DNA sequence: AAGTCGGGGAT
DNA sequence: ATCCCAGACTT
């Protein structure tokens, strides 16, 4: 346990104010201590920062606030344009929830972001952590927060050796985070707790010699900083194989390619992609069947071209033979993908016949950038454009 | 309580 | 390659 919490929060605050990073969603570095950032900036940044590192978020945050400078502009935006700005950031339900959240705040709160945790928690995409973050960081309310950084920092401070992913341990950490809160300066205190975890009290090789509160740290005293918290056991990831068809046609000297929209739920919901097939499921698109194909590698290699040919004909009528132009592997948290991409040229002049529930659309290569695409399809689109140039 | 949901940084 | 990241939501 931390002996004297009075000196703890003073040490942390002093360290934070001397060492904090200059981040675009924070109050400017020159401003008076205690200056609060704009609440809309906090809302957007907290949505983007969920399960995402600061360095990754910064450019997305800048572009997003340029496109949607106010909560009213975000509330009025269409979902596709919000998704397009989120493209590459992952966890796309965050983008749809953030837009819905802005709409709810405009409709119910007159566009003013609430400062009460219980009110904030009712909003889409705002859970226990984000509600506390907005209340404390944007309004200096006395609300606790426990994110991945705070979990690690408190576990080490208190010498908690049990697994912080377990429910009772999490609940205890929330209690401790609340007990540690100072009466004033909650915004800087909570920021400091996270900043410490992000820059000093890191998962691997923590910089304990730089830590302002190592005298308060039980793990440091025990020499067990590296063992706390315990690391998670890795789970094996399944490999999913996909055949991607770039079906091309030329209209008035403009090359167009066929894309399809993914279902409104599940992975990459509502985003667009080149026609994608599960080769173990020849007639279905990737939207429905995510199960691993039993097809082995060699038969897939030879079979992918056949699948491409058959399905291309089914969708677009007669086509040229498929040309393989790209292999791509893509790693997600719980699975891996292996994409084999082909081009075919549609010969018949008939409209595309969709093989999936969703919409299909012919778009010129130049217009592909208007559509939110999953990362692997962004890479395929880049290679395709380079080839056709 | 366990699964799902992306992609990249750091080591 | 592996673990983790200013988590929320569904089942």
């Amino acid at each position: 346990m931390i002996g004297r919490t009075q000196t703890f929060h003073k040490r942390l605050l002093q360290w934070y104010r001397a060492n904090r990073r200059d981040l675009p969603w924070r109050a400017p570095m020159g401003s008076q201590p205690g200056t609060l950032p704009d609440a809309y900036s906090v809302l957007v940044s907290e949505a983007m920062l969920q399960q995402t590192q600061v360095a990754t978020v910064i450019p997305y945050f800048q572009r997003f606030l340029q496109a949607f400078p106010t909560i009213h502009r975000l509330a009025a935006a269409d979902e596709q344009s919000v998704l397009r700005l989120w493209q590459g950031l992952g966890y796309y339900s965050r983008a749809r929830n953030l837009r819905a959240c802005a709409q709810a705040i405009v409709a119910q709160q007159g566009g003013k972001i609430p400062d009460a945790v219980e009110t904030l928690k009712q909003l889409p995409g705002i859970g226990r952590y984000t509600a506390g973050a907005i209340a404390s960081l944007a309004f200096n309310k006395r609300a606790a927060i426990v994110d991945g950084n705070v979990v690690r920092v408190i576990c080490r401070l208190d010498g908690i050796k049990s697994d912080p992913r377990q429910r009772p341990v999490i609940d205890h950490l929330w209690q401790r985070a609340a007990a540690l809160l100072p009466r004033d300066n909650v915004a800087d205190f909570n920021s400091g707790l996270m900043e410490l975890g992000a820059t000093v009290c890191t998962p691997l090789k923590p910089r304990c010699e730089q830590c302002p509160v190592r005298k308060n740290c039980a793990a440091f005293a025990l020499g067990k900083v590296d063992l706390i918290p315990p690391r998670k056991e890795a789970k094996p990831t399944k490999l999913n194989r996909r055949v991607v068809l770039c079906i091309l046609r030329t209209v008035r000297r403009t090359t167009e390619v066929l894309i399809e929209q993914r279902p409104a739920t599940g992975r990459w919901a509502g985003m667009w992609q080149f026609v994608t097939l599960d080769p173990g499921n020849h007639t279905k698109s990737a939207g429905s069947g995510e199960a691993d194909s039993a097809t082995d590698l060699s038969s897939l290699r030879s079979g992918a071209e056949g699948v491409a040919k058959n399905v291309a004909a089914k969708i677009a009528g007669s086509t040229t033979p498929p040309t393989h132009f790209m292999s791509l592997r893509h790693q997600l948290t719980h699975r891996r993908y292996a994409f084999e991409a082909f081009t075919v040229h549609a010969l018949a002049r008939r409209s595309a016949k969709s093989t999936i529930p969703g919409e299909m659309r012919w778009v010129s290569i130049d217009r592909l950038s208007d559509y939110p695409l999953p990362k692997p399809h962004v890479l395929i689109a880049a290679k395709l454009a380079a080839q056709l140039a």
Side-chain angles (χ1 to χ4, degrees), chain A residues 56 67 78 144 156 187-188 202 215 226 228 275 315-317 345 350:
Chain A
T56 304
D78 60 281
R156 285 174 175 165
D188 280 354
T202 49
K215 288 183 187 168
D226 294 309
I228 297 176
V275 174
I315 294 174
H345 291 263
R350 70 169 171 87

Side-chain angles (χ1 to χ4, degrees), chain A residues 3 6 43 94 102-103 118 126 147 161 201-202 212 236-238 260 270 273 309 340 373-374 377 382:
Chain A
Q6 299 300 335
L43 171 65
R94 294 183 297 172
Q103 292 178 333
E118 291 311 315
I126 298 187
D147 75 329
K161 298 179 190 124
C201 195
T202 49
T237 59
K238 287 193 296 188
E260 60 188 10
Q273 63 184 15
K309 186 170 162 55
E340 302 297 340
L373 308 177
H377 289 264

Side-chain angles (χ1 to χ4, degrees), chain A residues 93-286:
Chain A
S93 64
R94 294 183 297 172
R96 294 185 286 119
N97 284 336
L98 178 58
R99 171 172 172 269
C101 179
Q103 292 178 333
I105 290 172
V106 167
Q108 301 163 16
Q109 318 281 343
K112 257 187 80 70
I113 296 174
D115 62 2
V117 168
E118 291 311 315
T119 311
L120 286 162
K121 273 199 326 205
Q122 307 299 320
L123 294 164
I126 298 187
R128 196 178 185 182
Y129 162 77
T130 305
I134 294 172
S136 63
L137 304 186
F139 301 107
N140 206 32
K141 293 287 179 184
R142 204 161 176 279
I145 53 171
V146 175
D147 75 329
N149 290 309
V150 178
V151 166
R152 188 169 54 254
V153 169
I154 297 184
C155 279
R156 285 174 175 165
L157 286 172
D158 285 1
I160 298 171
K161 298 179 190 124
S162 47
D163 185 350
R165 299 165 195 84
Q166 295 300 310
R167 188 51 178 272
V169 182
I170 292 180
D171 289 342
H172 173 74
L173 291 172
W174 275 91
Q175 284 190 4
R176 289 291 293 143
L180 289 171
L181 282 180
R183 203 159 46 75
D184 307 307
N185 299 313
V186 178
D188 280 354
F189 178 83
N190 278 348
S191 294
L193 218 45
M194 293 190 288
E195 191 88 340
L196 188 70
T199 64
V200 174
C201 195
T202 49
L204 267 48
K205 296 171 60 169
R207 300 162 176 81
C208 294
E209 70 285 354
Q210 299 178 24
C211 181
V213 291
R214 67 174 174 275
K215 288 183 187 168
N216 304 82
C217 184
F220 183 74
L222 296 169
K224 296 194 171 180
V225 173
D226 294 309
L227 303 177
I228 297 176
R231 305 199 75 182
K232 199 163 97 178
E233 77 295 350
K235 282 184 187 171
T237 59
K238 287 193 296 188
L239 179 64
N240 289 8
R241 302 184 182 282
R242 293 291 183 267
V243 172
V244 176
L245 283 181
C246 297
I247 305 177
L248 303 168
R249 73 174 186 185
T250 302
V251 177
R252 294 190 304 276
R253 277 184 284 285
T254 301
T255 303
E256 295 180 341
V257 62
L258 191 62
I259 58 175
E260 60 188 10
Q261 189 173 28
R262 294 183 61 91
T265 59
R267 191 172 317 122
W268 297 306
M271 300 176 79
W272 294 77
Q273 63 184 15
F274 300 114
V275 174
T276 302
L277 314 166
D278 179 349
N281 192 1
H282 286 207
T283 59
K284 297 278 279 185
S285 175

